[in-house]
């Protein structure tokens, strides 16, 4: 069986934490699920949210970011905008999460 | 026209668009499933929400998001049943089983 690949894009920080939970939800449903925090800096995540990210990683997912502060505070994998573009080409579905 | 359309909604202010798209898709014979999450669960309290539930083939909301937005999960919005107070698995169903996907 071929599993779908999905990437969430979080540009609005008010939606990022819940969007990470949503990415975990798809990983639980047997998809390769990724998220990218673009442009905005998140606060240090609490233990519960960090556990969600660890669970996502256990299922071969990952949270990336283009913002160095998110790497320093929360351990998100760094990715340039160009690399985000390359990553999206591998995806079956791209989800812009939390449009305003 | 695709035979089925799944709509994933994160935006609290676009219910009129969801209804319009659903009407258009149904008019073309498409099956439509809609799933609301996070702040978009506020849409379930809009007076137009029951109309969407009657138009679409399947409407559900993320019950965890609904709770986090300050609502009581026992307070089921008009147009839904307790089984439609669901999880992110509904998003997974849209991606796996529907021909077309739309995120609003």
């Amino acid at each position: 069986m071929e599993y779908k690949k999905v990437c969430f894009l979080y540009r609005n920080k008010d939606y990022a934490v819940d969007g990470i939970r949503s990415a975990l939800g798809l990983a639980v449903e047997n998809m390769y699920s990724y998220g990218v925090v673009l442009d905005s800096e998140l606060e240090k995540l609490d233990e519960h949210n960090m556990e969600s990210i660890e669970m996502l990683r256990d299922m071969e997912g990952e949270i990336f970011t283009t913002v160095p502060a998110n790497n320093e505070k929360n351990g998100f994998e760094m990715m340039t905008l160009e690399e985000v573009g390359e990553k999206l080409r591998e995806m079956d579905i791209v989800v812009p999460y939390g449009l305003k | 026209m695709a035979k089925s359309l799944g709509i994933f909604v994160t935006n609290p202010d676009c219910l009129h668009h969801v209804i319009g798209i659903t009407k258009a898709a149904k008019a073309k014979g498409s099956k439509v499933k809609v799933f609301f999450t996070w702040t978009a669960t506020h849409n379930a309290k809009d007076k137009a929400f029951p109309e969407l539930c009657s138009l679409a083939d399947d409407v559900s909301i993320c019950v965890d998001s609904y709770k986090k937005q300050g609502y009581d999960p026992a307070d089921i919005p008009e147009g839904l049943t307790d089984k439609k107070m669901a999880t992110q698995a509904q998003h997974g169903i849209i991606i796996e089983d529907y021909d077309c996907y739309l995120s609003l």
Side-chain angles (χ1 to χ4, degrees):
Chain A
M1 183 176 175
E2 191 166 316
Y3 299 110
K4 292 269 172 64
K5 293 181 181 176
V6 181
C7 188
F8 290 78
L9 299 177
Y10 317 117
R11 196 167 183 206
N12 185 328
K13 69 178 185 179
D14 296 340
Y15 286 78
V17 173
D18 191 71
I20 291 169
R21 186 182 66 88
S22 196
L24 175 61
L26 291 188
V28 170
E29 293 299 308
N30 289 327
M31 291 176 214
Y32 292 106
S33 188
Y34 310 95
V36 186
V37 179
L38 296 158
D39 301 338
S40 53
E41 180 179 337
L42 304 189
E43 300 301 315
K44 171 79 180 144
L45 298 183
D46 64 20
E47 194 175 336
H48 174 72
N49 288 315
M50 290 307 290
E51 281 175 8
S52 293
I53 293 170
E54 283 307 313
M55 286 171 67
L56 179 66
R57 286 174 176 147
D58 287 344
M59 291 179 279
E60 300 182 44
E62 187 57 85
I63 301 298
F64 300 96
T65 187
T66 58
V67 181
N70 293 324
N71 170 266
E72 290 154 19
K73 279 195 280 191
N74 294 308
F76 300 164
E77 289 287 318
M78 278 301 296
M79 193 179 251
T80 65
L81 200 56
E82 289 73 19
E83 288 168 334
V84 174
E86 289 169 15
K87 184 82 178 167
L88 296 185
R89 289 186 182 90
E90 301 169 11
M91 299 294 119
D92 296 298
I93 299 275
V94 176
V95 185
Y97 193 101
L99 298 173
K100 269 191 178 176
Chain B
M1 180 70 189
K3 290 179 182 173
S4 61
L5 168 68
I7 309 174
F8 177 64
V9 191
T10 59
N11 187 320
D13 303 315
C14 67
L15 185 62
H16 57 300
H17 289 312
V18 179
I19 290 173
I21 291 164
T22 301
K23 276 182 184 171
K26 291 301 296 178
K28 292 287 186 182
S30 179
K31 179 182 174 187
V32 180
K33 174 178 174 65
V34 189
F35 178 61
F36 293 87
T37 192
W38 196 226
T39 55
T41 55
H42 289 300
N43 287 305
K45 295 298 181 183
D46 192 294
K47 63 179 190 261
F49 186 78
E51 180 193 355
L52 173 69
C53 295
S54 63
L55 279 170
D57 297 274
D58 188 351
V59 177
S60 55
I61 69 172
C62 172
V63 71
D64 191 43
S65 297
Y66 185 70
K67 189 176 176 183
K68 284 178 178 165
Q69 294 301 319
Y71 300 116
D72 178 359
D75 174 23
I76 298 169
E78 186 183 349
L80 296 182
T81 63
D82 58 346
K83 287 182 180 173
K84 299 299 178 186
M85 308 288 280
T87 69
Q88 296 292 320
Q90 298 300 311
H91 187 201
I93 290 168
I94 284 174
I95 290 173
E96 287 289 357
D97 299 343
Y98 282 66
D99 299 318
C100 289
Y101 175 93
L102 182 64
S103 176
L104 287 176

